[in-house]
């Protein structure tokens, strides 16, 4: 599992929401993931969208 954070008004946040709602695959840095959950953290200028991603092919995520 991997968690990514982004600004709420970004195109990436919009794409994540669409992939989550329609059960589509999300492409992040050339790898494919399923979006398992989306939440909002913070308030005001510190607001971020957090998404949990699971690899489609069960590959181990290495940083």
């Amino acid at each position: 599992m991997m968690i990514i954070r982004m600004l709420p008004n970004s195109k990436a946040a919009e794409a994540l929401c669409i992939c989550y709602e329609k059960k589509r695959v999300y492409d992040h840095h050339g790898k494919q993931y399923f979006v398992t959950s989306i939440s909002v953290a913070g308030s005001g200028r510190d607001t971020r969208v957090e998404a949990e991603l699971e690899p489609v092919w069960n590959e181990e995520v290495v940083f």
Side-chain angles (χ1 to χ4, degrees):
M1 177 182 67
M2 177 171 63
I3 297 175
I4 59 173
R5 297 176 56 149
M6 66 212 63
L7 294 169
N9 60 350
S10 68
K11 297 238 181 213
E14 184 178 333
L16 276 168
C17 290
I18 291 169
C19 290
Y20 180 71
E21 289 173 1
K22 297 188 178 205
K23 309 255 189 255
R24 304 272 193 234
V25 173
Y26 179 74
D27 189 48
H28 181 68
H29 293 292
K31 295 184 180 175
Q32 295 181 329
Y33 297 92
F34 288 115
V35 183
T36 57
S37 70
I38 296 178
S39 62
V40 177
S43 63
R45 290 182 174 219
D46 295 330
T47 303
R48 297 293 183 267
V49 173
E50 293 182 344
E52 289 184 14
L53 305 177
E54 288 288 336
V56 171
W57 304 107
N58 290 328
E59 297 172 355
E60 186 174 317
V61 178
V62 179
F63 294 98

